[in-house]
């Protein structure tokens, strides 16, 4: 779009120069840096306060760029064909000639790759011409941002440029991560594509993740607001803020989807949690959300947001 053009050129220039640029994707905002430059990747870890054992996803404009970084099995090809561009991250064995640096992969023999489905993100990636490492643009362990203002609130000072887009983040939860390693295809993180849809594309059930290939970033406590979350609440108590689904709690609860639509609920999840948290409640009561389809990703994020903050290994 015309009004974005100069921003886009500047953003691409800055990324190539090693700066950090936050940009919208169809899932959440990413904090981007040149995935081939260890200094830029180190700045991402520092800006987020993220441990370096947790690898970053390399974002690329085309499946061909991804094929230069990771070894695609036939099943990985099938998933890429079906879901890219889109909210799917494939974790694949790293190819020797790949450009993504060791630090972005946290020294692992695998690489996480995604072609996002967002016009501004794709235009930016095309213009940069190399893989862009981009974790969600929040501080480590906090709620993922779905709007430019949320990014500025999270990372003020630590990011060189924030690209604005009012069409941002229609999916609202992070990408589904599928590992295709050692002959297995396993769900490493539920996300914007339902497990059922991944299995339909494969024509078979997903394998159980082995301990070796679990996404190292899947810590028990994550995506945390300041308030404590009380899950599967049947009603809310005096003094509590409330996050509703399908009108179950009623009152002045903020509803993820009054129609009970899981896609709408996913799109609203982080924005509503942020809005409720901003009121400074001690507790947010959360109505039950079904577990099928995108409900798996929503419940996963709610469970992590509700986990005791000392549940993570130090
Ligand atoms: O939707 C998304 O995926 C967003 C947008 C910005 O694209 N990004 C995102 O990145 O959620 P991040 O860094 O917050 O989460 C990336 C996850 C982490 O849990 C990490 O452990 C996992 O991907 N991951 C990345 N590379 C991996 C690898 N080689 N093996 C296993 N897990 C990997
Ligand atoms: Mg994240």
């Amino acid at each position: 779009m015309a009004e974005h053009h100069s921003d886009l050129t500047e953003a691409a220039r800055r990324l190539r120069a090693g700066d950090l640029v936050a940009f919208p994707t169809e899932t959440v905002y990413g904090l981007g840096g040149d995935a081939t430059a260890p200094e830029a990747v180190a700045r991402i870890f520092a800006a987020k306060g993220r441990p370096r054992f947790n690898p970053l996803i390399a974002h690329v404009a085309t499946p061909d760029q991804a094929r230069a970084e990771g070894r695609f099995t036939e099943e990985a090809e099938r998933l890429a064909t079906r879901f890219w561009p889109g909210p799917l991250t494939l974790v694949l064995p790293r190819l020797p000639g790949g450009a993504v640096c060791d630090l972005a992969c946290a020294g692992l023999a695998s690489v996480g790759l995604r072609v996002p489905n967002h016009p501004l993100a794709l235009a930016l990636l095309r213009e940069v011409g190399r893989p862009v490492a981009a974790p969600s643009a929040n501080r480590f362990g906090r709620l993922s941002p779905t709007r430019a203002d949320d990014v500025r609130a999270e990372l003020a000072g630590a990011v060189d440029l924030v690209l604005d887009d009012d069409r941002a983040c229609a999916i609202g939860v992070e990408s589904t991560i599928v590992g295709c390693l050692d002959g297995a295809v396993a769900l490493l993180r539920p996300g914007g594509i339902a497990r059922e849809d991944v299995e339909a594309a494969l024509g078979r059930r997903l394998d159980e993740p082995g301990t070796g290939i679990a996404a190292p970033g899947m810590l028990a406590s994550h995506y945390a607001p300041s308030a404590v979350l009380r899950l599967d609440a049947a009603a809310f108590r005096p003094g509590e803020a409330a996050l509703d689904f399908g009108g179950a709690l009623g009152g002045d609860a903020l509803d993820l989807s009054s129609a009970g639509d899981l896609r709408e609920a996913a799109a609203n999840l982080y924005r509503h949690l942020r809005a409720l948290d901003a009121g400074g409640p001690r507790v947010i009561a959360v109505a039950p959300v079904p577990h099928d389809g995108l409900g798996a990703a929503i419940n996963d994020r709610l469970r992590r947001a509700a986990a005791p903050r000392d549940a993570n290994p130090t």
Side-chain angles (χ1 to χ4, degrees):
M1 286 173 56
E3 70 267 31
H4 287 135
H5 188 75
S6 56
D7 272 5
L8 197 71
T9 307
E10 172 67 3
R13 188 192 66 73
R14 281 180 172 258
L15 282 171
R16 280 194 302 264
D19 287 351
L20 302 190
V21 173
F23 62 95
T25 80
E26 79 280 30
T27 59
V28 300
Y29 257 83
L31 175 61
D34 183 346
T36 71
E39 302 78 14
V41 173
R43 288 192 61 207
I44 297 178
F45 281 104
K48 279 184 66 87
R50 171 165 168 150
R52 291 188 178 204
F53 60 75
N54 191 355
L56 307 178
I57 296 170
H59 295 66
V60 289
T62 65
D64 269 347
Q65 271 180 295
R67 287 189 195 99
E69 303 296 328
R71 179 170 292 114
F72 279 68
T73 58
E74 198 188 306
E75 287 181 307
E77 281 291 351
R78 194 177 307 172
L79 295 178
T81 303
R82 172 71 183 80
F83 296 113
W84 279 353
L88 172 75
T89 295
L90 290 174
V91 171
L92 306 174
R94 275 170 88 184
L95 286 177
V100 176
C101 68
D102 274 336
L103 185 56
C105 299
L108 299 175
S110 58
V111 58
L113 295 160
R114 169 160 123 81
V115 181
N117 184 20
H118 186 287
L120 192 54
L122 282 174
L124 179 66
L125 292 169
R126 267 194 300 271
E127 190 135 338
V128 173
R130 21 181 129 127
V132 171
S136 50
N138 51 281
R139 292 195 48 80
F140 178 65
R142 311 294 303 178
L143 293 174
S144 300
T146 52
R147 294 179 306 182
D149 282 344
D150 298 341
V151 177
R152 293 189 186 97
E154 278 288 325
L155 296 172
V159 53
D160 299 300
L161 185 69
V162 180
L163 281 178
D164 256 290
D165 193 333
D166 45 19
R167 297 159 302 176
C169 309
I171 304 279
V173 292
E174 294 85 349
S175 60
T176 298
I177 304 182
V178 174
C180 301
L181 300 169
D182 303 326
V185 184
L187 186 69
L188 304 186
R189 176 178 75 182
I193 294 170
R195 163 193 280 271
E196 295 89 325
D197 294 337
V198 175
E199 293 183 336
L202 286 174
R204 70 173 181 93
R205 302 296 298 270
L206 283 157
D207 301 305
E208 286 309 309
T211 45
I213 61 168
M218 297 307 281
L219 303 173
S221 165
H222 206 168
Y223 310 105
S226 301
V228 170
L229 259 55
R230 187 165 67 80
L231 301 185
D232 294 317
F236 60 105
R237 303 169 184 157
E240 287 183 346
L243 183 64
D244 210 349
F245 179 80
L249 299 176
D252 56 3
L254 205 48
D255 207 321
L256 288 170
S257 167
S258 47
D261 180 311
L262 288 166
R263 282 181 191 282
E264 184 183 15
N268 286 329
L269 179 66
Y270 290 128
R271 193 162 52 85
H272 280 10
L273 276 173
R274 259 176 207 281
L276 290 172
D277 208 32
R282 205 181 57 78
V283 178
I284 301 174
V286 185
V289 176
H291 287 259
D292 57 308
L294 289 196
I298 297 170
N299 279 290
D300 172 79
R301 304 306 188 271
L302 286 172
R303 200 159 29 78
R304 289 174 206 283
R309 303 295 144 78
D310 57 4
N312 290 329
T314 49

